[in-house]
Amino acid sequence: MKVETDPISIQLLKLQTIDQKILETRDRIRAFEPQLEEVDEPALRLEQEYNTTASRLQEMKLDERRLELAVDEKRARVQRLEDRLNQVRNVREEAAVQAELGLVRRALESEEQEAVSLLDQIGRFEDRLEEQGRSMEAEKAAVEPRKRELNADREAAEAELSAFQGERESFATDIDERYRRVYDNLIRGGRRVAVAPMTEDGACGSCYSVIPLQVQHEIRAVARLVLCESCGVIVTAPVAAEDMPADKDDAAQAAGEVAPEAGEEE
Ligand SMILES: [Zn+2]
């Protein structure tokens, strides 16, 4: 890749600045997700507790209903046996009915006991459910302003992103397609730096590998664009600080991201 003039290198650097803003904004938008989850977490935990209590209560109410039906059924049986007791014809029959009546009454009594203690438990669970419901609602109300704030910030970041994307689209169409394609292929490969000016002492502005002297000379003399042999970015002629599209700190940071010497990636 040879040629040409300064404008294309500055154009590519400007395009890169926009692309970096796009990536930065995307990162910022993604970062809202864990923040929102963190804010929601206590309320969600309370909601889970609430739901556990509610379903336990539901089960107990079903048990209680079943028990009540059993109690009703036994009461009816007791009634029938008592009626039969009035119609017995001999002592043997009376003894048999009495024996059965005794059994049914004991079973009835124990089921009635069970129903009472279940009702008592249901009462306690209802209190607990109400209390858990209050805590849950209170927690939800407490985090609501923070959630609204985070959601508003995220929407603002999303609006910024689409503005940058619009800017990128119209800016990119004005760039010579041959260069833009090389640049786009580098960016599409996932790197954040696709173009970097050569440093004053003749190193790639991205990975800081020293560029062969002859190539350095061409870069300086005719502003030739070359691909760095070490890291593959487009290397342009050195750019004066005041001509850099991004401010100096940003550019240094961006370059640091792909420099092998810079251990951490951010
Ligand atoms: Zn390089």
Side-chain angles (χ1 to χ4, degrees), residues 204 207 228 231:
C204 161
C207 73
C228 169
C231 72

Side-chain angles (χ1 to χ4, degrees), residues 191 196 203-209 211 227-233 235 258 260:
R191 53 171 85 221
C204 161
S206 176
C207 73
Y208 301 106
S209 302
I211 292 163
L227 294 181
C228 169
E229 285 174 11
S230 296
C231 72
V233 307
V235 181
V258 293

Side-chain angles (χ1 to χ4, degrees), residues 169-187:
E169 209 169 302
S170 65
F171 189 82
T173 49
D174 293 335
I175 299 176
D176 185 330
E177 216 190 313
R178 291 168 301 166
Y179 296 108
R180 207 182 66 209
R181 219 176 290 139
V182 175
Y183 171 89
D184 281 342
N185 283 336
L186 286 166
I187 285 292

Side-chain angles (χ1 to χ4, degrees), residues 27 192 257 264-266:
D27 287 348
R192 290 201 165 201
E257 272 166 20
E264 282 175 55
E265 237 179 82
E266 177 47 50

Side-chain angles (χ1 to χ4, degrees), residues 50-212:
Y50 177 87
N51 289 339
T52 305
T53 305
S55 66
R56 183 77 190 90
L57 190 57
Q58 184 73 12
E59 282 167 23
M60 285 192 296
K61 282 182 173 169
L62 282 174
D63 284 349
E64 204 273 331
R65 183 81 198 109
R66 264 196 297 271
L67 210 48
E68 250 170 44
L69 289 173
V71 164
D72 286 349
E73 186 259 343
K74 287 205 176 52
R75 277 186 189 137
R77 263 177 82 192
V78 167
Q79 187 60 58
R80 278 197 305 276
L81 288 166
E82 279 170 353
D83 290 348
R84 254 172 68 192
L85 209 52
N86 293 329
Q87 295 155 13
V88 289
R89 281 158 301 183
N90 55 50
V91 177
R92 212 161 57 93
E93 218 178 296
E94 187 189 351
V97 174
Q98 282 288 13
E100 194 183 346
L101 193 55
L103 283 175
V104 178
R105 273 191 181 133
R106 273 198 295 282
L108 173 62
E109 208 173 296
S110 117
E111 276 173 354
E112 277 172 339
Q113 284 288 338
E114 212 181 317
V116 167
S117 90
L118 197 51
L119 279 172
D120 180 52
Q121 214 179 342
I122 286 171
R124 277 184 280 121
F125 265 72
E126 275 169 344
D127 290 348
R128 185 188 299 178
L129 188 68
E130 208 184 299
E131 199 182 304
Q132 285 176 336
R134 273 198 301 268
S135 314
M136 176 179 77
E137 293 309 326
E139 178 63 27
K140 280 184 182 171
V143 297
E144 194 48 40
R146 179 74 184 124
K147 268 177 77 174
R148 259 206 303 273
E149 191 187 351
L150 282 170
N151 279 318
D153 289 351
R154 177 165 65 180
E155 274 166 34
E158 275 160 0
E160 265 176 59
L161 177 63
S162 69
F164 285 142
Q165 279 165 336
E167 189 188 341
R168 202 251 184 222
E169 209 169 302
S170 65
F171 189 82
T173 49
D174 293 335
I175 299 176
D176 185 330
E177 216 190 313
R178 291 168 301 166
Y179 296 108
R180 207 182 66 209
R181 219 176 290 139
V182 175
Y183 171 89
D184 281 342
N185 283 336
L186 286 166
I187 285 292
R188 225 169 281 133
R191 53 171 85 221
R192 290 201 165 201
V193 176
V195 53
M198 185 171 73
T199 64
E200 287 304 333
D201 48 2
C204 161
S206 176
C207 73
Y208 301 106
S209 302
V210 175
I211 292 163

